[in-house]
Amino acid sequence: MIMQVEIDFNKSIESNASSYYDKGKEAKAKAERIQQAIEVIEYRLSQLDKQIKQKQEIKQAPKKWHEKFHWFFSSNGFLVLAGRDMKSNELLIKRYMKPDDLYFHAEIQGAAHCIVKTEGNEVDEETKKEAAVFAANFSKAWASGLSSIDVYSVKPEQVSKQAPTGTSLSTGAFMIYGKREWFRNISLGIAIGIEKKDDYYKVISGPKAAIKKHSAISFEIFRGEKKKSEIAQELRGLFEKNLNLRLATSIDEIVSMLPASNLEIGKRLDKVSNTSVLTIND
C-alpha cells in the first residue's frame, strides 16, 4: 500500500512531523466521537427493539365460556348474553338459561335471544335497561334501518319449545307465554372498547354506560355507511394509537363484537368526561 504524504518545504522536518502528529490526534479524537455516537445509536435501537417486541408480545386474553355468545357485563356486574345465530340461540336457552335468570327479546322477527345471568341476585333497573339495549342492537332492527325498537322481558319458565298444536318450531325459535315487561322505544347504538385486566387486553361491546365503565378507552358506534370490516380496521388503529400498544386482537374478533353493517364511529367515551371528541381521521 502506497501512502502519499504532503511536505511543506517552508517548514523544518520537525515542524512537518509535529503538524502530522496533531492531525493524527484530531483524527483519532473524531474517530472516538464517531464510535461513541455509534454506540449511543446502537443502544437506542436496542431499546426501541425491546419496546417493539414488548408491544408485539401483548397476549390475547384466554377465552371464557361465555365468549361463544355476544356478551357484556352490566354497569352493576351482571353477565348478559345474546345468541349469535340460530344454533347459539338454541344453545343459550336450553343449556345456559337458569330459573333465576331474566330473558329479553326485541319485538322483531330475527332478534337474538338475550339473558341476564343473575346467580340468584335481584336484577336492578339499570341492568334491565342495558339488557334491553343489548337485545335491541343485536336484532334485525339495525339491518332494517330502524332507529329504535320495543324490547320485552319475561321469566325463563315463560320461554318454551312447545309450539301450538299443529305447528313446529325451528332451531333457535321459542314460544313466549304470559305477561311481559316492556321497554319501549329502545334506541339503537352501542359502544366498543378495550378492557384491561392484568396483562391482557380484551375488546368488549355493549350499552354505552356499561362499556364506558369497564373500558380503558371506548368509542360510540352508530348507524352509518361503512362495513363491519372497515370499522374494525379503524377501531383497532384508534385503540393502538390511544393506548400506545400493538393489540393481539384480530380484525375478525372486533368484527364479531359489532352489530350489522352500516356503521360509523362516534365520539370517544372518556371515564372522566364525555366532551372529548376524536374522529377517525385524526
Side-chain angles (χ1 to χ4, degrees), residues 45-142:
L45 287 173
S46 69
Q47 293 300 109
L48 181 60
D49 186 56
K50 286 181 182 179
Q51 292 176 12
I52 291 172
K53 286 181 178 178
Q54 286 175 352
K55 289 181 181 181
Q56 291 175 338
E57 289 170 2
I58 290 174
K59 298 177 181 179
Q60 179 73 358
K63 291 283 188 181
K64 297 184 178 180
W65 70 267
H66 59 259
E67 293 181 46
K68 63 170 66 80
F69 306 104
H70 290 300
W71 63 274
F72 80 98
F73 283 92
S74 75
S75 296
N76 293 310
F78 286 90
L79 175 61
V80 184
L81 303 170
R84 292 183 179 274
D85 50 33
M86 290 187 297
K87 289 185 178 180
S88 62
N89 273 327
E90 186 93 6
L91 179 67
L92 180 64
I93 301 306
K94 284 187 172 181
R95 182 180 299 180
Y96 292 103
M97 187 170 70
K98 305 302 179 185
D100 290 333
D101 294 338
L102 281 179
Y103 171 91
F104 287 78
H105 195 273
E107 184 68 349
I108 188 172
Q109 187 175 4
H113 297 304
C114 178
I115 62 173
V116 177
K117 298 296 296 176
T118 71
E119 306 299 335
N121 298 303
E122 184 177 353
V123 180
D124 59 280
E125 292 302 315
E126 184 177 14
T127 292
K128 288 182 180 180
K129 180 65 179 293
E130 289 174 352
V133 170
F134 199 58
N137 280 278
F138 288 101
S139 73
K140 292 291 186 182
W142 194 298

Side-chain angles (χ1 to χ4, degrees), residues 27-47:
K28 182 179 180 181
K30 285 183 178 179
E32 289 175 350
R33 290 196 296 271
I34 291 171
Q35 182 60 37
Q36 289 175 351
I38 290 172
E39 290 175 358
V40 169
I41 291 171
E42 288 178 343
Y43 173 77
R44 289 178 178 174
L45 287 173
S46 69
Q47 293 300 109

Side-chain angles (χ1 to χ4, degrees), residues 214-229:
H214 297 305
S215 296
I217 181 174
S218 59
F219 294 89
E220 288 182 326
I221 301 294
F222 57 87
R223 284 190 57 79
E225 301 297 328
K226 295 183 179 179
K227 298 178 180 178
K228 282 187 179 184
S229 57

Side-chain angles (χ1 to χ4, degrees), residues 7-25:
I7 297 176
D8 188 346
F9 289 101
N10 294 319
K11 296 180 179 179
S12 65
I13 292 175
E14 290 79 5
S15 295
N16 276 286
S18 177
S19 177
Y20 271 99
Y21 177 75
D22 291 340
K23 288 180 180 178
K25 285 175 63 178

